[in-house]
Amino acid sequence: MANTLSLYRTVKRLGIPDERIILMLADDMACNTRNKYPAQVFNNENHRLNLYGDNVEVDYRGYEVTVENFLRVLTGRHETAVPRSKRLLSDEGSHILLYMTGHGGDEFLKFQDSEELQSHDLADAVKQMKEKHRFKELLIMVDTCQAATLFNQFQSPGVLAIGSSMKGENSYSHHLDSDVGVSVVDRFTYYTLAFFERLNIYDNASLSSLFSSYNPSLLMSTAYYRKDLYKRRLEEVPVTNFFGSVMETIHTDAAYKALSRRNSGRFEDEMSLDQSVHHIERRMLIKVNDGDEIHDINPELLQGEEGACKCPWSTFRNKFQKAENVDSLVNYGLVAMIPLLVISTWLVQ
Amino acid sequence: MEKLKKKIGSFSFWNWVIASIIFRLILIYFPKNLNLSSRPEVSTPLTSFRRLAEGYWLKQSSMSSYAGSMYHGSPLLLSLLGPLTVKRIEGQPNHLLYSLVSVIADVVSAMLIRATGQNLRLAYLRSLESLDLVKQIDVSEFLFSGDIAALIYLCNPFTIVACVGLSTSPIENMAVILCLYGACSRLIPLAAFGWVIATHLSLYPAILIIPVIFLLGCGPDSPPRKLFLQRHQQKEVLNQSKLPPGFSWGPIIHFAFWAFLWSVYVLVLCGISLKQFGGLWEMFKSTYGFILTVEDLSPNIGVLWYFFAEVFEFFRNFFLIVFHVNILFMILPLAIRLRHRPCYLAFVYVAICSMLKSYPSVGDSALYLGLLGWFVNELADMQFSLFLFCGYVGVSLLSPVMHNLWIWRGTGNANFYFTTAMVYACLQIVLVVEGVSAVLNHDRKLRILITGKPQDAKS
């Protein structure tokens, strides 16, 4: 649990907001009766950082962490009652980071001591995601024993995967916290976090530097990554592509206009032609009330010229359908009420 | 002597007007308008400023301003007052411009009340002259009902609170008073305009069409026509020119034409501004439908919220009809009895509406209390006036206390607050009943003066 929470903190520090993070924790440690420090989770024996402090938003906890829910999150096939915070709301331009840790083995990952996620299930889910255009690039990071076997079955393009150990190797924990009585962080995650601690939001460290920072002798296992499905060169991809959220800003000098109703105007432009003729008739009626005289209106002419901007009536119609003109017309009408009132009163007197 | 008294009277009148304006401005400069706009007595779902701002924001975000059942007023009011809800001036309190609009509306209403009051007073003096009662009634003792009514309207704490509390009541009141002024001064387009706008903004001024018809047909308040005939039978002079004119239909038709014109204009403007959001039917459902079906049951100084929340949840439609007919069935008898005094009829109608409408507020009470000032001469002998005055003061002090006990402290419950609402309704009923009987007693006294012998009480 400390692994996931540490990476959660790192990823948030690098800019990804909570609404873009789905955190699934079995969550049995922090409030366990055997935890000497209730509601506190540490990833280092110096207890410097309480990972379970404030600002932790867990989306799936306890019994909700099942293989079924995990696959539902990935593929997006939820019950209708599932809230938006528990859904993966990605689209075809998203970069997704998937980090899994726990106990695992040859082509499986253990869930809650009772279920397992198999590698072909995971590959199938990823294939469905690609079909449904739910990601553009996917980085899967797995920290279990024999982690690299979990992504043997992947075939979808755009997937980059790294595991903490290869087939036949175990992943080891980093150190034991004798005060709490358990190991608090695993080596792979520890060195990943160490890499990111040296980083801030503006660094341009690439994925290849991350992958090459893993030292097999320190990890006591071989960190294996699979990049044949990933088309870009790892030297060019910054780590913030997956681990952070850095937006490109474009400086303009013009003022930012608030949301105007031009969208509705555009929508109205696509109306069927008989509706637009109806608009013209209504506008004629209004104009007559205001005292203007309109001559030689030719609706047949308009039906012949669909969207030809040369015709003055169609440009007038387009201008009228914009919402701003409606507002100003109503304002003119209101303002005109007062002189009308004054004149009529004075005339009748 | 009278000129000097008049000059002194008008001097202190303008003093009072300026003092009340300054007082309003001082209250506006208090932080957040003293939170008056959140009081249930001041802001109802129909007049609330917060809802107006919400409706304007919805409109600016290209959504229907009636979405979410927040705003229930006229779309024209949105176009007019909406931009004022967002405009901020550096260093000045928020909503300064909107408060200034309310202050100006109050002042204009007061001026119109004054003019109408002067009109009424002149008509009264003229009718006394034609009845030859000028020697018997001391005319110099007549108070300037126009000035008094205007001052009552301006300096009434209810009006001040409604103005500073940023409700739309000052504007609705201004429309009603404009209508009555136009009808009294025979300015038919103005009266039609005022009536159409008042009905458009809140549904209830529609019943003012009856006093307006009487005003335009017969003229302002005067003693019953029977008295004139009796007086001239006594004098055996059938001088037709001294008689008040009979009912004439010409101005009524004129009024109907102008009312039709203005309502078409207003409806067309509303239709244009609501073209994309469901049109006029949506507007009628959200404004008039909301008023008539009493959808919002938040507490106010009226009685309907409690009835529908606690008592009459079953057979709701039946009780809705009963409560609305409660206003309607009083129209005809009052119209028959008070047809010679249309302005007083208008006052009684306004008082009944303010009491029995779906969402009353102190702004509505401010209107009829101001109109009460027109009749200080006729109502000089009203009974229970001190009781009513103390009752009003007591209710306006206790009602916020009970609301606080109920909502904020939790030591009271809805019954506490509803008690003050019921007492308030009782006070208004006593006011209306005593007022009508005082005016009828006044007419009776005039008849006694003319015929010289007291008749039995039925007349």
Side-chain angles (χ1 to χ4, degrees):
Chain A
M1 191 167 135
N3 289 344
T4 323
L5 283 172
S6 323
L7 199 72
Y8 173 74
R9 286 185 74 90
T10 304
V11 147
K12 275 180 77 164
R13 183 176 64 88
L14 289 174
I16 301 188
D18 265 320
E19 64 209 22
R20 302 278 172 109
I21 303 178
I22 296 186
L23 183 59
M24 298 176 90
L25 291 182
D27 210 5
D28 47 1
M29 293 299 177
C31 299
N32 199 315
T33 44
R34 291 160 69 188
N35 186 359
K36 188 175 164 194
Y37 298 93
Q40 291 172 38
V41 174
F42 307 108
N43 69 346
N44 203 312
E45 71 177 333
N46 57 23
H47 292 191
R48 192 172 52 93
L49 195 58
N50 173 17
L51 297 170
Y52 209 66
D54 41 13
N55 212 10
V56 169
E57 197 180 290
V58 181
D59 298 299
Y60 289 86
R61 54 159 37 100
Y63 62 86
E64 289 171 351
V65 179
T66 58
V67 174
E68 180 195 342
N69 278 346
F70 174 66
L71 292 177
R72 279 187 189 275
V73 165
L74 281 187
T75 54
R77 297 178 195 277
H78 290 282
E79 307 270 310
T80 45
V82 170
R84 281 173 72 91
S85 60
K86 284 185 167 176
R87 296 181 190 230
L88 180 63
L89 302 164
S90 56
D91 54 22
E92 63 261 17
S94 305
H95 299 160
I96 302 184
L97 165 72
L98 176 59
Y99 174 81
M100 297 189 277
T101 180
H103 287 298
D106 195 1
E107 306 223 1
F108 72 89
L109 182 98
K110 208 160 128 183
F111 266 66
Q112 302 262 43
D113 272 348
S114 59
E115 297 182 298
E116 60 186 25
L117 171 74
Q118 307 225 340
S119 60
H120 49 259
D121 284 329
L122 185 60
D124 203 40
V126 169
K127 196 164 162 190
Q128 280 190 45
M129 283 172 82
K130 196 66 190 175
E131 290 286 319
K132 290 170 77 167
H133 300 289
R134 277 166 75 77
F135 68 93
K136 188 167 145 214
E137 297 178 10
L138 175 64
L139 171 63
I140 304 185
M141 219 180 196
V142 187
D143 187 359
T144 66
C145 302
Q146 306 187 55
T149 56
L150 196 65
F151 35 85
N152 271 347
Q153 313 281 344
F154 282 154
Q155 289 161 1
S156 321
V159 175
L160 184 62
I162 179 164
S164 60
S165 48
M166 296 187 63
K167 182 175 164 118
E169 291 175 353
N170 293 333
S171 291
Y172 295 99
S173 65
H174 190 254
H175 61 268
L176 170 72
D177 182 356
S178 45
D179 196 13
V180 175
V182 291
S183 320
V184 284
V185 68
D186 293 338
R187 287 179 182 254
F188 179 71
T189 309
Y190 181 80
Y191 288 113
T192 313
L193 292 173
F195 179 84
F196 281 108
E197 288 299 317
R198 295 195 297 266
L199 212 64
N200 63 31
I201 250 182
Y202 303 107
D203 278 349
N204 266 4
S206 65
L207 276 179
S208 65
S209 61
L210 170 65
F211 291 170
S212 47
S213 73
Y214 296 123
N215 188 342
S217 56
L218 287 176
L219 282 180
M220 291 162 69
S221 58
T222 319
Y224 171 75
Y225 59 94
R226 183 178 170 181
K227 62 175 170 71
D228 55 320
L229 296 168
Y230 192 66
K231 290 295 171 282
R232 293 167 66 181
R233 286 159 45 93
L234 288 180
E235 290 82 17
E236 296 161 4
V237 180
V239 285
T240 49
N241 208 21
F242 294 104
F243 287 91
S245 169
V246 180
M247 308 273 205
E248 193 187 319
T249 54
I250 306 173
H251 175 79
T252 60
D253 280 329
Y256 179 67
K257 279 208 167 72
L259 190 68
S260 68
R261 281 189 258 164
R262 221 161 284 134
N263 295 332
S264 57
R266 224 180 293 136
F267 171 72
E268 275 180 69
D269 275 339
E270 281 138 37
M271 273 192 312
S272 65
L273 212 47
D274 25 319
Q275 262 186 305
S276 44
V277 169
H278 174 68
H279 267 282
I280 293 177
E281 287 165 0
R282 201 166 348 145
R283 205 175 53 250
M284 276 165 49
L285 177 65
I286 293 161
K287 278 294 187 186
V288 164
N289 262 353
D290 278 355
D292 286 353
E293 290 270 333
I294 301 179
H295 298 287
D296 56 335
I297 312 240
N298 202 349
E300 285 82 36
L301 179 73
L302 281 156
Q303 273 171 0
E305 300 192 57
E306 303 181 42
C309 289
K310 292 272 171 67
C311 175
W313 275 112
S314 61
T315 47
F316 187 68
R317 167 168 58 101
N318 284 338
K319 240 185 10 171
F320 182 71
Q321 279 166 1
K322 284 210 194 120
E324 288 93 19
N325 263 18
V326 169
D327 249 349
S328 47
L329 192 70
V330 172
N331 285 342
Y332 287 149
L334 279 174
V335 168
M337 240 198 298
I338 300 177
L340 265 177
L341 179 68
V342 168
I343 291 171
S344 57
T345 317
W346 179 74
L347 276 179
V348 166
Q349 212 164 18
Chain B
M1 184 63 195
E2 186 159 303
K3 242 197 221 172
L4 183 66
K5 217 171 23 168
K6 206 172 178 183
K7 211 158 60 160
I8 292 175
S10 64
F11 178 71
S12 59
F13 168 74
W14 288 110
N15 261 5
W16 277 107
V17 168
I18 292 173
S20 73
I21 295 178
I22 292 177
F23 187 59
R24 280 175 168 82
L25 288 176
I26 291 175
L27 283 182
I28 288 171
Y29 271 86
F30 270 67
K32 289 202 190 160
N33 290 54
L34 286 174
N35 278 330
L36 279 173
S37 51
S38 52
R39 294 223 62 87
E41 293 92 3
V42 175
S43 70
T44 66
L46 295 174
T47 61
S48 164
F49 171 76
R50 206 170 46 94
R51 290 180 182 244
L52 180 75
E54 171 97 12
Y56 180 68
W57 184 87
L58 284 170
K59 192 170 99 144
Q60 292 302 100
S61 317
S62 339
M63 285 188 268
S64 163
S65 44
Y66 298 118
S69 182
M70 271 300 266
Y71 179 65
H72 293 283
S74 147
L76 302 182
L77 212 59
L78 268 188
S79 312
L80 208 60
L81 296 176
L84 295 179
T85 61
V86 289
K87 217 157 185 306
R88 301 256 185 279
I89 307 181
E90 281 299 320
Q92 307 285 347
N94 292 343
H95 315 306
L96 178 71
L97 288 174
Y98 186 89
S99 320
L100 286 180
V101 167
S102 307
V103 172
I104 292 174
D106 270 347
V107 170
V108 167
S109 316
M111 293 302 122
L112 291 173
I113 289 181
R114 180 174 191 239
T116 320
Q118 282 167 346
N119 221 330
L120 282 176
R121 186 169 174 272
L122 285 174
Y124 188 38
L125 288 177
R126 241 182 295 131
S127 59
L128 282 184
E129 256 180 37
S130 62
L131 283 176
D132 287 331
L133 286 176
V134 190
K135 297 184 210 66
Q136 287 160 300
I137 299 181
D138 194 0
V139 195
S140 61
E141 284 298 319
F142 269 15
L143 301 164
F144 291 95
S145 50
D147 292 356
I148 290 183
L151 284 183
I152 290 180
Y153 184 76
L154 269 185
C155 304
N156 193 351
F158 287 168
T159 333
I160 296 180
V161 154
C163 173
V164 173
L166 301 173
S167 79
T168 56
S169 308
I171 297 168
E172 293 175 11
N173 295 350
M174 184 171 77
V176 169
I177 293 169
L178 194 68
C179 167
L180 291 176
Y181 168 73
C184 260
S185 328
R186 299 291 185 120
L187 295 171
I188 295 179
L190 198 65
F193 177 72
W195 183 75
V196 164
I197 294 287
T199 311
H200 179 68
L201 289 179
S202 67
L203 177 61
Y204 293 93
I207 62 173
L208 287 178
I209 186 133
I210 296 178
V212 162
I213 287 179
F214 283 135
L215 271 173
L216 292 174
C218 301
D221 289 14
S222 59
R225 202 177 155 73
K226 215 168 38 177
L227 295 185
F228 289 93
L229 293 172
Q230 277 180 335
R231 174 54 99 185
H232 289 286
Q233 273 173 3
Q234 285 183 347
K235 298 253 162 146
E236 285 154 0
V237 172
L238 246 80
N239 196 346
Q240 287 287 342
S241 62
K242 272 206 168 181
L243 283 176
F247 193 80
S248 56
W249 283 101
I252 313 292
I253 300 181
H254 211 178
F255 175 78
F257 164 71
W258 276 105
F260 177 71
L261 210 63
W262 286 118
S263 32
V264 162
Y265 191 86
V266 163
L267 286 177
V268 158
L269 277 184
C270 291
I272 299 177
S273 81
L274 289 177
K275 188 169 58 149
Q276 299 156 306
F277 305 124
L280 283 178
W281 177 243
E282 183 67 33
M283 181 184 89
F284 284 133
K285 222 167 35 145
S286 300
T287 55
Y288 293 171
F290 179 75
I291 294 176
L292 290 176
T293 55
V294 192
E295 286 169 5
D296 188 302
L297 295 179
S298 37
N300 47 53
I301 51 172
V303 293
L304 258 69
W305 60 275
Y306 188 86
F307 287 147
F308 283 118
E310 306 244 4
V311 182
F312 293 137
E313 201 35 51
F314 296 111
F315 305 114
R316 192 168 205 267
N317 286 339
F318 169 67
F319 286 114
L320 271 177
I321 297 177
V322 165
F323 286 133
H324 289 299
V325 162
N326 205 3
I327 303 181
L328 291 176
F329 85 85
M330 282 200 251
I331 294 182
L332 192 61
L334 281 169
I336 295 175
R337 195 67 185 84
L338 288 173
R339 66 180 181 277
H340 55 281
R341 291 191 178 272
C343 277
Y344 194 74
L345 185 65
F347 160 71
V348 175
Y349 281 171
V350 168
I352 291 176
C353 283
S354 307
M355 185 169 52
L356 296 173
K357 71 194 307 194
S358 329
Y359 307 100
S361 72
V362 289
D364 305 315
S365 315
L367 178 63
Y368 74 77
L369 286 175
L371 297 187
L372 185 65
W374 281 340
F375 311 105
V376 280
N377 296 316
E378 287 92 342
L379 294 179
D381 291 332
M382 190 165 91
Q383 287 180 317
F384 304 134
S385 44
L386 182 65
F387 166 72
L388 284 173
F389 177 74
C390 296
Y392 268 92
V393 168
V395 166
S396 39
L397 290 176
L398 273 181
S399 171
V401 169
M402 295 302 170
H403 187 256
N404 190 318
L405 275 185
W406 173 30
I407 304 263
W408 297 109
R409 293 176 194 275
T411 52
N413 57 32
N415 298 322
F416 286 47
Y417 189 63
F418 183 63
T419 312
T420 55
M422 267 205 296
V423 169
Y424 188 60
C426 286
L427 287 175
Q428 288 172 306
I429 291 173
V430 168
L431 175 70
V432 167
V433 168
E434 287 306 316
V436 171
S437 54
V439 157
L440 294 179
N441 273 338
H442 182 84
D443 284 338
R444 213 165 282 142
K445 261 199 301 203
L446 286 180
R447 193 184 58 245
I448 290 172
L449 283 175
I450 289 177
T451 59
K453 57 181 188 292
Q455 289 199 343
D456 53 283
K458 297 200 182 58
S459 77

